[in-house]
Amino acid sequence: MMTRKVAGGEAEEMKRRNAELERAVAEAAAREERLRRELEAALARLAVAEEAEERLCVQLGELEAEAVEQAIEYQERVRALSERLAFADGVLRSSGIRGFAAAGASTSRMD
């Protein structure tokens, strides 16, 4: 009779332990599912961020190209104005009128 009680006690203990393990498995499965969803959401956010980065890189490249173009145009404009100024100064010098550069130089010497 005592063996039945021991066997019955062991059976109850095994049932209790089995229930605990089943709960632990269910909790682990739920945790795994939650983490999987979080990972999928993070991967979706990463994809959006990568697309935004790519668009920004394209825009930056376009802006850099535009800046180079503007710098070239500016240099050409400065060169053209310098040539015009040199020509005007040459005309003034050849006509006996003191040019801008000479007038500026004599004024600075008088200071």
Side-chain angles (χ1 to χ4, degrees):
M1 192 149 222
M2 189 136 176
T3 32
R4 284 188 182 183
K5 285 185 180 179
V6 172
E10 287 179 4
E12 287 298 316
E13 177 62 25
M14 288 180 72
K15 286 180 183 179
R16 185 189 62 74
R17 181 69 181 140
N18 190 34
E20 287 176 5
L21 291 173
E22 286 176 355
R23 273 193 306 276
V25 166
E27 290 171 3
R31 185 172 49 249
E32 181 181 350
E33 179 62 24
R34 180 181 50 82
L35 291 173
R36 186 187 59 74
R37 285 192 309 268
E38 288 176 10
L39 177 60
E40 288 174 355
L43 290 173
R45 288 191 306 271
L46 175 62
V48 168
E50 286 175 342
E51 289 173 13
E53 178 187 20
E54 187 174 326
R55 284 193 306 271
L56 288 173
C57 286
V58 168
Q59 290 175 351
L60 179 60
E62 291 170 353
L63 288 173
E64 287 175 342
E66 184 179 333
V68 168
E69 185 178 311
Q70 287 177 355
I72 290 170
E73 290 173 0
Y74 176 76
Q75 288 176 341
E76 290 173 354
R77 179 76 174 141
V78 168
R79 189 173 22 260
L81 290 172
S82 295
E83 289 171 2
R84 285 180 61 192
L85 182 59
F87 176 76
D89 190 49
V91 169
L92 291 175
R93 284 178 192 252
S94 67
S95 66
I97 302 173
R98 291 173 58 157
F100 176 75
S106 65
T107 305
S108 64
R109 276 186 257 150
M110 294 173 76
D111 288 343

